[in-house]
Amino acid sequence: MRTRVVPRYRDLSPHAVIELHAVDESTVLAVQRWRSRGDLDTAFSSDRFQAWWAGYMPTLRAWDELVVFDVEWEAEVLG
């Protein structure tokens, strides 16, 4: 999915960084980082978002067939 998901987010915003980390042989941690909360909010509320989302859906469906999402959370860097 590294070759399908990561480039799709680059299409949405140059400020999105997607990282995939191997936790163990069967677990991958996917991390989505944004330069700022404002960049994330702007990308997801832009006029382009709906078209991007429609184009991303086939990739998301394929990913959903391969993985089970265990936990999802949101955090901000303190500093």
Side-chain angles (χ1 to χ4, degrees), residues 7-71:
R8 293 296 301 166
Y9 271 86
R10 271 192 235 117
D11 291 343
L12 175 62
S13 172
H15 306 300
V17 175
I18 307 297
E19 299 172 336
L20 302 174
H21 301 269
V23 175
D24 58 37
E25 292 180 10
S26 63
T27 306
V28 173
L29 173 65
V31 177
Q32 183 183 124
R33 289 187 296 120
W34 289 79
R35 184 176 66 178
S36 70
R37 165 61 71 179
D39 288 338
L40 181 144
D41 292 343
T42 297
F44 280 77
S45 63
S46 72
D47 294 338
R48 295 182 46 240
F49 178 75
Q50 291 303 320
W52 175 85
W53 185 254
Y56 179 60
M57 283 306 296
T59 300
L60 185 58
R61 282 190 208 102
W63 198 8
D64 284 345
E65 290 177 13
L66 295 174
V67 299
V68 174
F69 290 97
D70 188 27
V71 176

